[in-house]
């Protein structure tokens, strides 16, 4: 089913409002069902609310799936205001404070354009973290996941049990990994960072 996030439909048949997933910018999600809408799904921000427009015939399961898809699309559009290296370093500092009590202190955090087989990398001996420019424009929670992954390597260099315990602190790990796995499958881009049984990222 095609998605058109910038198109707004006509008068809705029915609407429902719910709280967004953890980490969403909007305070509520309103789903509007329309009998005039046959195939397209769209979404837009309306103040502190996200409005998702769907065909009236959609099942509840399809509704939930498309709400997630459209939230990701909107987040990706909004994050295209690319963070510079200074903002990226500040973001890493906040994430370290939030999930690791400030114990992970990178000496440098920056974007790089030469990482075509990894989403991110870390050199613990230098305290440096590098993120692939391919992440630019992806949802913020995905960028945060890669940052948290690399920050954890400043505390635990390898991918042993202690590392995975640290990573569990980030609540959107599975969703972020699912997003990156979808990108990998669709476009044959770099490996998802730190998947068990896969090549380590840093």
């Amino acid at each position: 089913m095609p998605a058109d996030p910038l198109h707004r439909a006509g008068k809705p048949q029915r609407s429902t409002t719910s709280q967004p997933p953890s980490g969403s910018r909007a305070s509520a999600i309103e789903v509007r069902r329309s009998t005039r809408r046959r195939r397209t799904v769209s979404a837009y921000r309306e103040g502190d609310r996200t409005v998702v427009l769907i065909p009236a015939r959609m099942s509840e399961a399809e509704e939930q799936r498309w709400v997630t898809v459209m939230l990701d699309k909107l987040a990706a559009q909004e994050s295209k205001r690319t963070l510079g290296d200074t903002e990226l370093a500040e973001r890493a500092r906040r994430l370290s404070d939030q999930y690791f009590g400030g114990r992970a202190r990178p000496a440098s955090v920056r974007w790089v354009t030469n990482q075509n087989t990894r989403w991110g990398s870390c050199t613990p001996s230098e305290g440096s973290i590098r993120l692939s420019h391919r992440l630019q424009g992806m949802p913020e929670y995905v960028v945060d996941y890669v940052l948290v992954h690399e920050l954890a390597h400043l505390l635990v260099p390898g991918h042993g049990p202690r590392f995975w315990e640290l990573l569990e602190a980030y609540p959107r790990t599975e969703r972020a990994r699912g997003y990156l796995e979808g990108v990998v499958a669709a476009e044959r881009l770099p490996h998802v960072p730190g998947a068990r049984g896969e090549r380590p990222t840093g």
Side-chain angles (χ1 to χ4, degrees):
M1 182 177 297
D4 178 12
L6 300 180
H7 178 71
R8 302 188 183 195
K11 185 177 179 180
Q13 179 191 49
R14 180 173 68 87
S15 69
T16 58
T17 302
S18 62
Q19 294 302 310
S22 173
S24 174
R25 291 184 188 182
S27 63
I29 300 165
E30 181 179 345
V31 178
R32 297 177 184 173
R33 290 174 173 263
S34 173
T35 54
R36 295 175 57 185
R37 183 173 287 265
R38 299 300 181 185
R39 293 181 58 81
T40 60
V41 177
S42 64
Y44 59 93
R45 304 292 192 198
E46 191 174 78
D48 63 353
R49 177 185 305 272
T50 300
V51 179
V52 181
L53 307 169
I54 65 173
R57 62 179 176 76
M58 253 189 200
S59 69
E60 292 298 319
E62 288 176 317
E63 173 183 318
Q64 290 303 312
R65 181 171 68 87
W66 277 103
V67 164
T68 299
V69 168
M70 299 312 293
L71 286 176
D72 282 347
K73 284 182 176 292
L74 284 175
Q77 290 173 349
E78 292 165 351
S79 67
K80 284 182 179 178
R81 298 183 293 274
T82 305
L83 296 173
D85 288 349
T86 300
E87 292 83 5
L88 195 65
E90 174 60 23
R91 194 178 195 86
R93 185 193 65 77
R94 291 199 305 268
L95 290 168
S96 177
D97 288 344
Q98 183 174 358
Y99 297 110
F100 304 133
R103 291 181 295 124
R105 298 182 179 275
S108 66
V109 184
R110 60 191 177 91
W111 298 106
V112 294
T113 59
N114 61 351
Q115 288 194 157
N116 296 317
T117 60
R118 299 179 177 186
W119 292 113
S121 63
C122 174
T123 305
S125 62
E126 299 175 359
S128 63
I129 290 174
R130 296 163 298 280
L131 264 60
S132 171
H133 72 288
R134 296 178 185 272
L135 288 164
Q136 294 173 343
M138 291 189 187
E140 290 180 357
Y141 73 88
V142 177
V143 177
D144 285 353
Y145 164 67
V146 179
L147 277 173
V148 169
H149 181 103
E150 303 307 337
L151 286 166
H153 275 311
L154 293 176
L155 304 176
V156 180
H159 288 95
R162 177 57 183 151
F163 173 83
W164 294 109
E165 289 175 9
L166 286 174
L167 205 59
E168 286 174 359
Y170 184 63
R172 307 189 77 182
T173 289
E174 290 306 314
R175 187 177 179 194
R177 285 182 49 76
Y179 184 97
L180 291 175
E181 286 169 354
V183 172
V184 171
E187 302 184 28
R188 299 180 180 275
L189 290 182
H191 289 280
V192 177
R196 290 177 175 82
E198 293 183 359
R199 181 171 52 189
T201 63

